[in-house]
Amino acid sequence: AVTTRIHQSCKVLLSARLEAKSSGGPQYLIFVSDGIFQVKKEDLTCAAAAAELRIPFPVPDLHFISFSLGDDSESRLVKAAACEQGGMWWRIRSNGQPLATFLEFVRDFTSFVIDMGVRSDTNMSLLSDNNNGNVVPDSRENRSSTFSEELEAAALK
């Protein structure tokens, strides 16, 4: 296995958890890619760090959120790594300005999370959806929709 920044980040997050140096709440690892990889899917997950620290994988309450920036970015490995960890992946299509497009998405996503009042206990079920169509209650309009539909609606605001 290749030691990647993801591996190093996972090890820091998981060590903080084991040593009680974190808040005890959910942990998030955000990975943004605009390139082509010379690594395997396993090198983009927390599996090796979890094994080193003798923590079960996928790690409960460690949420892997990944983005592939631009229409031409390699997404196969990033998407597979997110799925393996029960996380989320998005391709952020670009209008020629990938960073601006990404920042707009982050703004809209943050607004969505705040608006929905996503808490740690519901977070795990939402993030581990893996496109199985889990239903998220929508208290604003007394209806239900899938998590991806809600994200798309928030992005269109």
Side-chain angles (χ1 to χ4, degrees):
V2 174
T3 300
T4 62
R5 296 246 189 238
I6 290 178
H7 173 80
Q8 294 168 341
S9 299
C10 291
K11 197 164 181 182
V12 167
L13 285 171
L14 296 175
S15 293
R17 181 184 290 197
L18 287 174
E19 297 167 9
K21 293 182 179 178
S22 70
S23 67
Q27 296 173 306
Y28 298 88
L29 181 59
I30 299 173
F31 179 66
V32 181
S33 169
D34 66 352
I36 297 175
F37 301 101
Q38 301 298 319
V39 297
K40 297 177 183 174
K41 173 186 65 172
E42 295 76 29
D43 299 324
L44 297 176
T45 70
C46 292
E52 284 178 35
L53 298 170
R54 296 190 172 109
I55 296 175
F57 181 81
V59 179
D61 249 1
L62 175 61
H63 308 295
F64 187 83
I65 303 170
S66 60
F67 303 93
S68 295
L69 277 186
D71 298 330
D72 298 328
S73 65
E74 164 62 42
S75 62
R76 184 180 48 84
L77 289 176
V78 177
K79 184 176 182 180
C83 288
E84 184 172 312
Q85 297 178 99
M88 297 184 286
W89 167 83
W90 285 275
R91 173 179 300 283
I92 305 297
R93 302 225 180 260
S94 174
N95 59 1
Q97 299 177 326
L99 184 57
T101 305
F102 174 69
L103 293 175
E104 288 172 7
F105 178 86
V106 169
R107 178 201 62 213
D108 294 340
F109 179 77
T110 303
S111 295
F112 167 78
V113 170
I114 291 169
D115 189 43
M116 291 299 291
V118 177
R119 298 183 317 267
S120 177
D121 57 335
T122 59
N123 225 0
M124 192 57 189
S125 65
L126 293 176
L127 297 178
S128 63
D129 177 30
N130 290 333
N131 297 320
N132 289 330
N134 287 347
V135 174
V136 179
D138 186 340
S139 59
R140 293 168 295 170
E141 297 177 24
N142 197 21
R143 65 177 188 88
S144 294
S145 61
T146 65
F147 185 55
S148 59
E149 287 171 343
E150 287 294 325
L151 283 176
E152 287 174 20
L156 295 174
K157 286 185 181 179

